[in-house]
Amino acid sequence: MHSLIKLVSIARKLNKSANTVALLEKRILGAGLSSRHSAIIRSANAAPMAARMAQLATQHWKNMNPLWGVEIPFEQPGALWIAPEAGQKNDNQWRQLEHSLQQEGIEFHSLTHTEAAELGQHAIKINQDEIYFHEPEALQLDPADILNALQNAATLNGIEVMEHTQVTGFDVDSNGRISAVHSNHGSITCDYVINAAGAWSPKLFAPLNIPIPISLEPVYVANFLVGTRDIPTSLPIIADFVHHAYFRRWRGSILHLHQPRARSSEAIAQAFSRGLMNPAGANIIYDPSNYVLNFDQLEAYLGKVKNRFIKARTPLYAGGYVSFFDITPDLRFILGKDSKIENLVHVLGAGQALKYAPIFGEIISDIILKGQVQHSQIDISEFSIGRFSDQAFDQFWSAHKRAENSL
């Protein structure tokens, strides 16, 4: 889905000339991680440039018609962030995050315990050993609404969506540029290739000797039926970094939750190690067994609900599934031109692609049509794939050992 979001923005500009934009989809549009995305749109990020881009993307989500000719419904419940108390390990990081975001003009401010209780409509357990922050601009979208709107936008903007199309190889000309993409439906000549393939990227580009460090981290998602008197429908999104869970009210009587990404270098390295042992590669996303949680996972999530909500007794399980974060070693994007092939552009979101997709589309459009990013506030140099290819991976892991990665 986020591939289509990016390409719609590009197509609107390319269609002014005699160019064609095609999206090659291995299965069915939106069948991968996009169909299981939380669709929470927030700006809070420990990397200042990523936070700046997220803020711009949020404004685009609120007014999509000028970009793509469609509207996408959204709610703005805001987000209540919960973190360990002052004096504990993470406190300084959260205070620094608050200051950094405010420097970027992003509304993110601390709350007293009384203010947090009121924002949570007295349905949330407020503890003296916790600190609280409010991000009022956080949005909630519905993945089904996004997909429907973007399918319409693809038609409106002349994008050729080629489903059930598997890339099998590339032709590279004497100038080192990709001249054609081979697929099970034949070859397609091209001026530019945009890689938005996420966790399929390493295998896809290995024949071109382009190492792309993307792996998959499982994320467990559960839905529970709850009463409105127990957990009000108008609650903000709750980003609970004490119990490691995002909570949100979803489609009437559903309480939806999933865990955040792991952020320690050790946990990220473990995810990459597991990826090397996975013979299915990114195709594990399509495994039918991923549409159910086991007993231990369900019990753990029930415990998170009971530990955070005052009146939650034993919510009724209403379905769950395993999704994945596609992650890089430092949890930051891979964004911009490839360091080896001039007409290859990467748009890999490190588990956050959907929320950034509108601004990603503008960035990639600028790179292709103007040769560089045109927005004066955006510098994508820190997200270049060159930060990995310019050094051996063992050196990268050593340099980032014990470092906490971005939000």
Side-chain angles (χ1 to χ4, degrees), residues 225 302 306 312-316:
L225 287 171
L302 280 170
K306 293 178 181 179
R313 287 153 287 186
T314 304
L316 181 63

Side-chain angles (χ1 to χ4, degrees), residues 69-83:
V70 298
E71 295 290 352
I72 298 180
F74 67 89
E75 299 176 1
Q76 188 173 324
L80 173 63
W81 293 76
I82 306 174

Side-chain angles (χ1 to χ4, degrees), residues 110-354:
S110 59
L111 299 174
T112 66
H113 288 80
T114 299
E115 290 170 335
E118 292 174 351
L119 183 63
Q121 300 177 47
H122 302 283
I124 299 169
K125 293 180 182 178
I126 303 296
N127 300 311
Q128 294 302 311
D129 59 353
E130 296 172 344
I131 53 178
Y132 302 87
F133 301 87
H134 186 209
E135 184 184 358
E137 291 289 319
L139 307 181
Q140 178 64 65
L141 285 72
D142 187 323
D145 289 337
I146 298 172
L147 181 57
N148 180 64
L150 291 173
Q151 287 174 332
N152 293 334
T155 300
L156 179 67
N157 293 286
I159 294 178
E160 183 178 0
V161 180
M162 302 175 64
E163 296 182 321
H164 302 287
T165 300
Q166 182 171 349
V167 174
T168 57
F170 303 92
D171 282 342
V172 178
D173 65 21
S174 58
N175 295 318
R177 294 169 60 92
I178 296 175
S179 57
V181 177
H182 299 299
S183 78
N184 57 319
H185 292 155
S187 297
I188 304 168
T189 59
C190 58
D191 295 316
Y192 279 90
V193 172
I194 302 168
N195 170 30
W200 283 272
S201 299
K203 183 176 181 180
L204 192 62
F205 290 94
L208 296 181
N209 195 30
I210 299 175
I212 301 179
I214 295 283
S215 191
L216 290 170
E217 177 190 335
V219 51
Y220 304 104
V221 181
N223 295 321
F224 296 96
L225 287 171
V226 295
T228 57
R229 283 183 286 185
D230 296 340
I231 303 179
T233 57
S234 55
L235 279 180
I237 298 161
I238 300 171
D240 186 341
F241 280 77
V242 174
H243 297 112
H244 301 286
Y246 282 96
F247 300 95
R248 69 169 191 252
R249 287 307 304 261
W250 181 250
R251 296 174 181 171
S253 59
I254 296 292
L255 179 68
H256 176 100
L257 70 146
H258 69 275
Q259 85 267 20
R261 295 176 301 173
R263 287 172 170 81
S264 70
S265 58
E266 290 84 357
I268 295 168
Q270 288 174 2
F272 273 82
S273 297
R274 286 194 301 268
L276 293 173
M277 301 296 291
N278 173 23
N283 287 334
I284 193 174
I285 293 169
Y286 298 133
D287 191 328
S289 66
N290 288 331
Y291 284 89
V292 64
L293 299 186
N294 65 40
F295 178 80
D296 289 340
Q297 293 158 351
L298 180 57
E299 284 295 296
Y301 271 21
L302 280 170
K304 293 176 187 292
V305 175
K306 293 178 181 179
N307 285 333
R308 183 49 68 190
F309 294 96
I310 294 171
K311 296 182 181 179
R313 287 153 287 186
T314 304
L316 181 63
Y317 179 57
Y321 51 88
V322 183
S323 187
F324 297 87
F325 296 118
D326 47 353
I327 60 171
T328 60
D330 57 4
L331 297 187
R332 299 192 181 196
F333 319 128
I334 298 175
L335 192 60
K337 284 190 174 183
D338 185 72
S339 57
K340 298 178 180 178
I341 296 183
E342 181 187 359
N343 66 334
L344 173 61
V345 183
H346 300 289
V347 194
L348 305 172
Q352 302 188 71
L354 189 141

